[in-house]
Amino acid sequence: MTKPALTLYLAAPRGFCAGVDRAIKIVEMALQKWGAPVYVRHEIVHNKFVVDGLRDLGAIFVEELSECPDDRPVIFSAHGVPKSVPNAAEARNMIYVDATCPLVSKVHIEAQRHADAGLQMIMIGHKGHPETIGTMGQLPDGEVLLVETPDDVADVDVRDPNRLAYVTQTTLSVDDTADIVAALKARFPAIIGPHKEDICYATTNRQEAVKAMAPKCDAMLVVGAPNSSNSRRLVEVGARAGCPYAQLVQRAAEIDWRSLDGITSIGITAGASAPEVLINEVIDAFKTRYDVTTEIVETAQENVEFKVPRVLRIPA
């Protein structure tokens, strides 16, 4: 029986970014240096496959520092942590390694710099996301006000409309964030923004590739985890850019084949914390059912690399 023809558009860039790559490497190097177990506060990156793989090597994932013993190293996730967390680790004389993505750390530094200049901060982000909690936790309670939508801007209660600055979560939708920034500037004309956009290069690049790919596709799959902010944004961007069916899947086993019945083209991309092995698994699943022709949709090339902390580069 002949397989139906399918054009498979593969987004580039896709998958791992430099911050995720560095965070995973930090856990692997910590296990090599100190042996198992090494504790990790929160999922190192939002991907079950990656977390399970590190757990098999001897990493223990916890949600709070209080769950860690004093005598084993602890690693803080790529999303960043409030200042209170390293302070508590130091008070307990713990060995800790901060795997916060350098681009998230840049936002933390920015927020502190504005606060030192006497400005109150507004953060554009998702309530409850670990990155938002970490960034807001750089400053005392009440110094950072959270907005999630343009409508929230009308209700935000500031100390002084002329003494404000804003920062953003690094994994947001570029277009949605632009709408919120426009609302902030309309209400608070004196508000100060970042020197360079806070949304990271990887998030922006993956969204641009999806925008280029979406109009060509009958359907689109984003390989990523349900708790991955940047992966969920890719689904939204794909739908908004004209793809009739955009869905998030963690593994090939989650593909809803009935919804894809009759398609002649599919777009595939992956969030910044999804490994290439899972992307290939999804591609292989299509190759077993279809006569696949693959086309790469490339909108940018990435060659960013971040060094791991010095403590891991010196022998134990």
Side-chain angles (χ1 to χ4, degrees), residues 176-193:
D176 287 348
T177 304
D179 292 343
I180 300 170
V181 169
L184 282 171
K185 288 180 174 175
R187 187 174 169 205
F188 307 114
I191 197 166
I192 295 171

Side-chain angles (χ1 to χ4, degrees), residues 119-135:
L119 304 181
Q120 190 177 21
M121 299 299 306
I122 293 177
M123 176 160 193
I124 303 170
H126 295 298
K127 187 177 182 179
H129 189 278
E131 185 186 329
T132 300
I133 292 167
T135 299

Side-chain angles (χ1 to χ4, degrees), residues 93-113:
N93 289 318
M94 298 173 80
I95 294 173
Y96 69 88
V97 186
D98 190 354
T100 301
C101 173
L103 299 177
V104 174
S105 297
K106 175 184 89 70
V107 179
H108 291 182
I109 292 163
E110 213 170 348
Q112 187 63 60
R113 185 167 49 80

Side-chain angles (χ1 to χ4, degrees), residues 152-267:
D152 290 346
V153 174
D155 299 326
V156 74
D157 186 16
V158 302
R159 246 192 334 256
D160 180 347
N162 296 311
R163 304 284 293 155
L164 291 174
Y166 72 87
V167 293
T168 83
Q169 192 178 319
T170 62
T171 54
L172 300 177
S173 154
V174 174
D175 297 333
D176 287 348
T177 304
D179 292 343
I180 300 170
V181 169
L184 282 171
K185 288 180 174 175
R187 187 174 169 205
F188 307 114
I191 197 166
I192 295 171
H195 286 306
K196 189 174 182 296
E197 193 175 40
D198 288 338
I199 296 174
C200 80
Y201 77 93
T203 298
T204 303
N205 288 350
R206 279 149 192 72
Q207 288 179 19
E208 287 302 316
V210 163
K211 286 178 188 175
M213 184 172 73
K216 304 171 187 277
C217 307
D218 295 334
M220 190 180 91
L221 296 182
V222 177
V223 181
N227 61 341
S228 164
S229 173
N230 75 86
S231 300
R232 287 168 62 186
R233 300 297 79 76
L234 290 175
V235 175
E236 294 166 3
V237 169
R240 196 178 293 164
C243 185
Y245 176 92
Q247 204 65 40
L248 183 70
V249 295
Q250 296 194 77
R251 304 288 300 262
E254 292 184 6
I255 298 170
D256 181 358
W257 296 105
R258 281 180 302 180
S259 297
L260 301 176
D261 198 36
I263 63 165
T264 58
S265 59
I266 184 93

